[in-house]
Amino acid sequence: MPGPKGKWFIGDAMKFDEDPVGWMLDTKPIYGDIVRLDNETIVIHDPDLIDEVFKKTNNDFILDNATVSGKQGREKLIKGLTEWMQSRKYLGKALNRNILSQHIGRANDRLSVEVEKLAGTKVDLFNASQYLLGFSIADFCLGADLEIDQVFKKVEEVFWASLAVTDSEESRLPWASRPIAKRAERLNNELVSMLKEVVIRRQNERKLGEPYRDALDQLVDNLPDAPVEQLAAAVRLMMVTAHGPSGAVFSWCLLRLTENPELIEVIRNELSQDSEQLLFPNNYPVTLAVLKETMRLHPANWLMGRTAQRNTLLGGFKIPEDCRVLFSPYILHRDKRFWDNPDEFNHKRWLNSQDISNKKAYIPFGAGPRVCPGALLGPMQLMVGLKVILSNYDLELPPLDSARPVHSTLLRPKNVQGSWSCRK
């Protein structure tokens, strides 16, 4: 398999770790769409090959987890795969119009309060964005629960602890001490215990025929025989995994709008429609196009990967068991083979779907059986956030070119300080 020679055993891993984006941009023209990184890792750039890996996930490939290590940890993931996928299936049942309609009304009101608290003060853009979007997603899941604030506080702890694991250089060798990962696991167990209590309380309180108020109502009523553990896992899945990427995208979107103030007025006019219309994102073509273009240039999950759980084939090459396969939406979304002027922010390319030459070359949420849980809910949450802020406030943010991107777990702007103030 082609790739730079690198050093014995570790290949080019050190150079990749120093500058992963630079490494991929440098090696791709030389070695093509399949590049060997080290003895256990390859990087692929072809959208059809990436799509093949997505489709083979849960069979030939598995989505790894930074909190586990070694073959034993991977076997643990595989063992729990059926329950994990069942939790995702349960979550899908909650994405219905009635619940989403009630959620939009509550989220708009609650976010308005939270945004007003932060108005006029300097905030870290990503920290504030992930908090606001996370709060909105928590409302969708548990908006009817009186303890939602306490639960969301624990969700925030788990989010930042999990981010610390994936951002850290803590060894993933099976025998290594992993205090950062252990702390994240402890906090996650505490959250799961808290969510189990919420589920049990809701099961005891619900009366036959009562209207649904949030996702948990839907789950409890329609899945009366589902284990408490899986209902709690379904709620946890959305609350923990969705708001980080949404917060990152929201941050970049606000920065892009600051660079393109003419779009702010267009989006304000679009979002002035009744909030109920947010159930239908296509009713907001320019807003949706701006969000899509933001996710193209700034995909929150900028580097994805799978691990082969058995010997397989990919692009004519033999892929051995335990081989990691990496691919980058950030690189793919800027590939001139699939995008005209790929480095230019141009929302209009999304107003005519025929302008997208290869739809497999756009993967902000991934694809296949392990597509990001926020793929359906995310755009709507982002629109709610934009409606609350842009309708009532003016943005005060630094220029986009001063925002340094952090290519760690999430592609997010680092240490960008900004604010919003009441419109005059």
Side-chain angles (χ1 to χ4, degrees):
M1 186 175 295
K5 184 177 181 180
K7 296 184 178 181
W8 179 79
F9 188 70
I10 64 170
D12 234 23
M14 291 181 66
K15 288 185 178 179
F16 181 88
D17 289 343
E18 289 174 3
D19 181 9
V21 171
W23 186 92
M24 287 185 281
L25 290 175
D26 289 344
T27 57
K28 180 169 160 287
I30 300 172
Y31 301 104
D33 284 327
I34 304 181
V35 186
R36 175 179 44 79
L37 173 57
D38 58 38
N39 289 345
E40 298 178 334
T41 313
I42 65 171
V43 180
I44 61 176
H45 302 292
D46 179 80
D48 290 318
L49 291 179
I50 294 171
D51 189 63
E52 182 179 343
V53 173
F54 280 141
K55 290 177 178 176
K56 289 182 175 179
T57 298
N58 292 349
N59 292 306
D60 289 355
F61 298 94
I62 188 169
L63 178 60
D64 224 333
N65 186 320
T67 61
V68 303
S69 57
K71 192 174 183 65
Q72 186 176 5
R74 193 166 295 123
E75 288 174 351
K76 182 180 178 182
L77 287 177
I78 294 171
K79 185 178 179 180
L81 186 59
T82 301
E83 290 186 1
W84 179 257
M85 293 306 295
Q86 187 65 48
S87 297
R88 292 172 65 96
K89 183 179 179 181
Y90 289 166
L91 186 62
K93 292 181 178 295
L95 292 169
N96 68 69
R97 184 176 299 181
N98 183 42
I99 290 176
L100 290 173
S101 177
Q102 293 195 55
H103 158 64
I104 287 174
R106 280 197 315 265
N108 188 77
D109 293 340
R110 289 183 172 179
L111 279 185
S112 295
V113 173
E114 297 301 317
V115 168
E116 185 178 7
K117 289 178 184 177
L118 299 174
T121 60
K122 287 284 186 181
V123 295
D124 180 278
L125 183 59
F126 171 72
N127 291 0
S129 295
Q130 70 80 28
Y131 174 83
L132 293 171
L133 272 292
F135 193 87
S136 181
I137 291 168
D139 176 88
F140 165 74
C141 297
L142 301 176
D145 199 277
L146 295 177
E147 295 187 9
I148 184 174
D149 290 337
Q150 289 83 355
V151 174
F152 181 59
K153 181 178 179 181
K154 182 60 68 175
V155 169
E156 280 281 276
E157 290 181 4
V158 172
F159 168 73
W160 287 109
S162 301
L163 198 64
V165 174
T166 49
D167 281 357
S168 75
E169 298 181 359
E170 193 172 60
S171 173
R172 293 181 65 182
L173 293 173
W175 58 83
S177 173
R178 305 191 66 203
I180 300 176
K182 288 179 180 178
R183 177 176 179 271
E185 185 175 12
R186 174 178 59 79
L187 290 172
N188 183 66
N189 289 338
E190 291 174 1
L191 173 61
V192 170
S193 295
M194 184 180 291
L195 290 173
K196 286 179 184 177
E197 293 177 4
V198 173
V199 170
I200 293 171
R201 184 168 63 249
R202 188 71 65 90
Q203 287 175 326
N204 292 333
E205 291 174 352
R206 290 287 292 167
K207 292 181 174 60
L208 186 65
E210 284 186 327
Y212 302 142
R213 300 162 297 173
D214 58 22
L216 185 55
D217 274 354
Q218 163 87 359
L219 295 175
V220 166
D221 283 11
N222 286 272
L223 300 164
D225 298 324
V228 169
E229 292 79 9
Q230 288 193 359
L231 295 179
V235 174
R236 178 216 168 273
L237 176 65
M238 179 60 79
M239 292 180 73
V240 173
T241 61
H243 73 285
S246 295
V249 171
F250 196 68
S251 301
W252 290 114
C253 185
L254 294 182
L255 287 166
R256 284 291 180 179
L257 289 175
T258 301
E259 293 286 299
N260 298 273
E262 72 284 357
L263 286 175
I264 293 180
E265 288 305 318
V266 176
I267 291 175
R268 277 176 176 155
N269 289 333
E270 279 194 348
L271 293 175
S272 65
Q273 301 178 55
D274 187 276
S275 294
E276 284 282 322
Q277 293 300 312
L278 289 171
L279 287 169
F280 312 99
N282 288 333
N283 289 348
Y284 306 84
V286 175
T287 307
L288 188 58
V290 167
L291 289 173
K292 286 182 175 180
E293 185 69 348
T294 300
M295 289 187 284
R296 183 184 72 84
L297 287 172
H298 310 283
N301 296 306
W302 70 278
L303 183 65
M304 301 178 180
R306 301 290 189 267
T307 301
Q309 58 175 328
R310 59 175 64 93
N311 294 334
T312 187
L313 291 172
L314 185 65
F317 291 97
K318 294 181 179 179
I319 306 298
E321 181 182 3
D322 293 334
C323 177
R324 290 192 306 157
V325 180
L326 302 179
F327 39 92
S328 173
Y330 183 88
I331 300 295
L332 185 61
H333 291 178
R334 295 169 182 254
D335 193 319
K336 62 183 179 181
R337 294 177 296 178
F338 313 115
W339 305 95
D340 294 331
N341 303 313
D343 293 322
E344 175 187 336
F345 183 86
N346 177 18
H347 74 285
K348 293 180 180 179
R349 72 174 83 237
W350 297 102
L351 298 177
N352 183 353
S353 59
Q354 294 178 353
D355 290 344
I356 312 303
S357 62
N358 188 336
K359 290 182 170 55
K360 293 179 183 177
Y362 184 68
I363 52 171
F365 298 105
R370 296 300 295 271
V371 66
C372 176
L376 294 176
L377 189 61
M380 190 182 72
Q381 298 287 353
L382 291 165
M383 286 188 178
V384 171
L386 288 175
K387 181 179 178 68
V388 170
I389 290 183
L390 297 183
S391 297
N392 302 296
Y393 300 94
D394 289 317
L395 298 174
E396 298 172 9
L397 298 174
L400 178 68
D401 57 13
S402 69
R404 187 166 71 87
V406 179
H407 290 88
S408 55
T409 307
L410 298 172
L411 176 60
R412 59 190 193 270
K414 183 176 182 180
N415 297 332
V416 172
Q417 299 294 309
S419 63
W420 45 83
S421 57
C422 291
R423 292 178 64 189
K424 298 176 181 178

